[in-house]
Amino acid sequence: MKTMSTFPLPTLLLLLLILGQFPTAVTGDVNVTEAGVYIITMTCDPNSDSQARSILRINDRDTIFIAYGSENVRAGLSVALPFNVRDTIGLRLEGDQKGSNFSLGVALASTSKKYFTTAHSDGYVDQGKIGFYQYITESGSWSKYNTKILSFAVPRTGVYWVMVRPDPLGDQWTWVLMKGMFYVYLGKSVPLSTSGALYLTTSEKISMRIYSTQKEMEGTTMLSFVYLEGNMPLQLSGTHMACTLEVQENAKKYGYDENIVFDGKFIILDEGNMYAKSSAEFNIRVTGSYILSLRGDPSSGQHLKLQVFRNHQVAFTSFSQHGVSSGQAGVFNFKKGDKLYVRARYVRDVGVHTMISIALLYTEE
């Protein structure tokens, strides 16, 4: 296989940060070397009973994109944003950082700025569906609709990375469903997200719907999606390389040495036959840069620590507790022949909406 000639292999940057005992801190910047739409992944893990947050900074200015961590829940946020050459991307950290872990991932998704949307709501809800009033244009500036938009048209058929993050108003529980597939369970006014790969066609619409008594949402409620230009069948022997699966069985107790089984009865997406249910492993068939997300769903009021292993070494970790789903994403380089699997850190009940998603950004073969 060859790297796409019309889409040069980007510089892939993953910045992992472990900060000390300071109330605020600013990380080193990532410099953009190629214009396009980038997926930004952020995590914030206070690792204590306190709270902390990671604030995305663009060109040395704080933005509204924030990952919140609270009470041993590792919060995550992934958004699609347009950047130009010489733009800078970084994090500013607030809160209790003693023993905390933060991460920032930056990966080019598309050189075209037409095939993405990142929008947020002002709290408007109509018959359960969330309305959005502001979105980011190709130039990178915010644009406001005169009327509230409840759904977005898919601009191009293909594999997309999609993120939804509702922010409940007040100390209430909220269930949110996106495109009949993504669930997010929230509580205690902590905004948490779910992200993953979906195959979308131009005949479809993307929207968020609330399944609870909640009638209003906070302004940091967000929806973001971007077309993965490097995940094309023409470049990948006639198929895409993307997988999104939920457990979709009754909650089950797993030991620390058992691979969590993602049920094949309901496959959200498995382009490229990445998942082998017999071994509960994901097979990397193409060397390249990938984006991966993991969402834990505790089936009871306990902590749930999930780990993604790559060839018997931990590559990624997700923390959640008290029935709150917590989804995080990161950017990785995987090689052909690598095997990934998920395990619970301790003996734990794993809920039915525990989800993993893996999508190729670019091939390096």
Side-chain angles (χ1 to χ4, degrees):
M1 293 183 194
K2 296 181 179 180
T3 301
M4 299 170 60
S5 59
T6 59
F7 199 88
L9 186 68
T11 300
L12 185 66
L13 299 160
L14 180 63
L15 181 62
L16 298 178
L17 309 162
I18 300 179
L19 278 298
Q21 305 177 42
F22 300 97
T24 63
V26 178
T27 75
D29 287 334
V30 173
N31 297 310
V32 176
T33 59
E34 183 173 6
V37 179
Y38 285 73
I39 298 176
I40 308 298
T41 65
M42 305 159 57
T43 63
C44 179
D45 171 23
N47 197 29
S48 68
D49 290 334
S50 59
Q51 295 185 351
R53 62 181 189 165
S54 305
I55 303 170
L56 182 68
R57 289 173 60 83
I58 299 176
N59 297 328
D60 298 322
R61 295 182 179 181
D62 287 358
T63 68
I64 65 170
F65 302 107
I66 302 172
Y68 301 87
S70 176
E71 299 180 1
N72 292 315
V73 175
R74 176 184 251 184
L77 178 66
S78 60
V79 295
L81 296 172
F83 291 97
N84 297 313
V85 176
R86 292 187 293 277
D87 283 344
T88 61
I89 306 167
L91 290 182
R92 184 167 69 84
L93 312 173
E94 289 186 344
D96 184 1
Q97 297 160 30
K98 183 178 180 180
S100 298
N101 295 282
F102 304 84
S103 71
L104 169 67
V106 180
L108 183 63
S110 175
T111 56
S112 172
K113 297 182 180 181
K114 296 180 180 180
Y115 306 122
F116 86 102
T117 291
T118 292
H120 72 85
S121 169
D122 63 351
Y124 176 62
V125 178
D126 181 15
Q127 296 182 345
K129 186 176 287 189
I130 299 173
F132 296 89
Y133 82 109
Q134 196 174 45
Y135 73 106
I136 296 180
T137 65
E138 295 180 30
S139 65
S141 60
W142 286 102
S143 217
K144 292 185 178 180
Y145 289 105
N146 292 326
T147 57
K148 295 179 174 66
I149 303 300
L150 299 179
S151 62
F152 296 90
V154 175
R156 184 177 183 180
T157 296
V159 175
Y160 285 76
W161 190 259
V162 183
M163 184 278 295
V164 291
R165 186 182 73 181
D167 185 359
L169 183 67
D171 190 13
Q172 300 187 34
W173 291 91
T174 302
W175 297 1
V176 172
L177 180 66
M178 196 289 297
K179 199 182 177 289
M181 299 177 182
F182 287 3
Y183 290 85
V184 185
Y185 300 89
L186 300 177
K188 299 183 179 180
S189 300
V190 179
L192 298 172
S193 67
T194 289
S195 60
L198 292 176
Y199 184 85
L200 304 175
T201 69
T202 55
S203 63
E204 296 178 284
K205 302 281 187 179
I206 298 179
S207 63
M208 293 170 62
R209 182 176 293 276
I210 299 174
Y211 285 85
S212 72
T213 58
Q214 189 82 31
K215 299 301 181 184
E216 293 184 85
M217 304 296 288
E218 294 282 9
T220 59
T221 294
M222 294 183 182
L223 182 149
S224 184
F225 60 89
V226 59
Y227 174 73
L228 299 186
E229 189 170 329
N231 201 313
M232 299 176 62
L234 183 63
Q235 311 299 327
L236 303 171
S237 300
T239 187
H240 299 280
M241 292 292 167
C243 185
T244 300
L245 294 175
E246 286 187 330
V247 169
Q248 282 293 318
E249 291 180 337
N250 294 328
K252 178 182 176 181
K253 189 179 293 294
Y254 284 89
Y256 68 91
D257 59 347
E258 293 181 276
N259 294 355
I260 293 173
V261 177
F262 294 86
D263 187 20
K265 295 178 182 177
F266 180 73
I267 297 177
I268 297 176
L269 179 70
D270 189 10
E271 298 284 339
N273 296 318
M274 297 179 68
Y275 184 63
K277 187 178 178 181
S278 59
S279 60
E281 293 178 334
F282 297 85
N283 299 303
I284 300 300
R285 304 185 185 281
V286 176
T287 296
S289 302
Y290 287 77
I291 183 168
L292 180 151
S293 69
L294 180 64
R295 183 192 64 204
D297 174 23
S299 63
S300 59
Q302 61 181 350
H303 300 301
L304 179 60
K305 181 178 181 180
L306 299 178
Q307 294 179 319
V308 178
F309 286 78
R310 171 195 177 186
N311 302 334
H312 311 300
Q313 292 185 334
V314 176
F316 198 64
T317 303
S318 169
F319 300 91
S320 52
Q321 68 172 356
H322 303 319
V324 176
S325 69
S326 178
Q328 300 95 48
V331 180
F332 300 88
N333 292 321
F334 293 138
K335 294 181 179 180
K336 182 177 180 180
D338 283 348
K339 294 184 181 297
L340 309 180
Y341 54 90
V342 181
R343 289 182 176 177
R345 180 62 180 85
Y346 305 103
V347 177
R348 287 289 184 261
D349 289 329
V350 177
V352 297
H353 293 304
T354 295
M355 188 183 81
I356 188 172
S357 187
I358 308 164
L360 178 69
L361 292 168
Y362 309 101
T363 176
E364 297 177 6
E365 296 182 348

